[in-house]
Amino acid sequence: MNLVELESVSKSYRLGEVEVTALDSVDFTVQHGDFVALTGPSGSGKTTMLNLIGCLDAADSGEIRVLGQPVSQLDGQALDTLRSRTYGIIFQNFNLVPVLTALENVMLPLHLHRLSKSGMERRARAALESVGLARFADFRPDQLSGGQRQRVAVARALVTEPKLILADEPTASLDTASALSLVELMKELNTEQQVTFVFSTHDQRLLEHVGRVVELRDGRLTSTDDSAADTSTALQTGKSEVA
Ligand SMILES: Nc1ncnc2c1ncn2[C@@H]1O[C@H](COP(=O)(O)OP(=O)(O)OP(=O)(O)O)[C@@H](O)[C@H]1O
Ligand SMILES: [Mg+2]
């Protein structure tokens, strides 16, 4: 089953008299094991599209389905549950809590899940380990580099074992070397642990490392998004559950 489907989805914003079409009849599918970059100039609709995929915002028209379920039929509480069970989110500016250690930051999303303290800690340590930061568990964000902070944010997104990780410009605050290394880490998690990623980036240098690149211009996908043609590395390694 597809993880997320956007079918002819449109979204506009009104600012006073002016109406801006942020997304215009977009068709897009995310499958388990995908590694997709959304690209396109500033204002082309990348953040809008990520917010709609993550059910953080509603479409004006068209349909969004998550695991086959049309989200327009869900009430607020059902949407909250769907969001917490389905998505992990990485922010451009890390959004770590400064007074908490890396380990405590990674444990935060687990407070919504029914786990013992030791169970939470075990999972958070495993997530830090998988981003190469086991040694830094007790460091606070201000004691870490930008690249390390973003790795903590990746661990925090991973720790709930989400079906899909969404990231809006996750490399925007990083220097080139750290940005490349972050994308390599995400790619590794995708190939080795079948973590599904959809992220936006302006950075052309990163795109050669990405299986599937989707480009937006003025709210429209510039090419037909034929996801069946490239279901990313997970398929090639034979580990995907793509139906
Ligand atoms: N809350 C809002 N109110 C009004 N207009 C908005 C709002 N959010 C986005 N827009 C408009 O929708 C269009 C798409 O914006 P969006 O933020 O999705 O672009 P983007 O591709 O993420 O750009 P950037 O690369 O600069 O982050 C833009 O024209 C923007 O001005
Ligand atoms: Mg944006």
Side-chain angles (χ1 to χ4, degrees), residues 83-96:
R83 276 196 293 258
S84 71
R85 291 202 181 141
T86 309
Y87 304 102
I89 298 196
I90 302 169
F91 298 91
Q92 177 175 329
N93 294 314
F94 325 135
N95 277 22
L96 300 176

Side-chain angles (χ1 to χ4, degrees), residues 10-163:
S10 297
K11 175 83 187 171
S12 312
Y13 294 103
R14 178 175 282 285
L15 274 183
E17 295 292 288
V18 186
E19 183 163 291
V20 178
T21 303
L23 277 190
D24 188 3
S25 304
V26 165
D27 293 308
F28 179 69
T29 302
V30 186
Q31 295 178 325
H32 179 81
D34 268 347
F35 191 75
V36 193
L38 295 181
T39 184
S42 182
S44 59
K46 302 181 295 297
T47 298
T48 304
M49 188 159 153
L50 285 169
N51 287 343
L52 290 172
I53 294 171
C55 303
L56 295 165
D57 209 349
D60 296 337
S61 62
E63 185 154 87
I64 300 173
R65 286 183 290 270
V66 177
L67 297 165
Q69 164 101 313
V71 295
S72 56
Q73 293 173 3
L74 301 177
D75 63 17
Q77 200 178 353
L79 259 184
D80 282 345
T81 309
L82 177 85
R83 276 196 293 258
S84 71
R85 291 202 181 141
T86 309
Y87 304 102
I89 298 196
I90 302 169
F91 298 91
Q92 177 175 329
N93 294 314
F94 325 135
N95 277 22
L96 300 176
V97 180
V99 296
L100 299 182
T101 64
L103 183 71
E104 289 162 344
N105 268 285
V106 175
M107 280 165 68
L108 276 181
L110 293 175
H111 288 280
L112 291 173
H113 295 240
R114 291 199 193 101
L115 284 172
S116 64
K117 180 127 197 297
S118 62
M120 289 201 290
E121 191 174 321
R122 205 171 332 111
R123 279 186 47 183
R125 284 195 190 280
L128 278 175
E129 168 106 47
S130 69
V131 301
L133 287 182
R135 283 196 308 121
F136 296 88
D138 297 326
F139 285 53
R140 286 194 320 270
D142 64 350
Q143 298 167 320
L144 298 170
S145 71
Q148 289 169 333
R149 279 180 224 172
Q150 197 56 309
R151 281 167 186 260
V152 174
V154 173
R156 182 182 54 186
L158 274 177
V159 76
T160 57
E161 297 177 358
K163 300 194 171 57

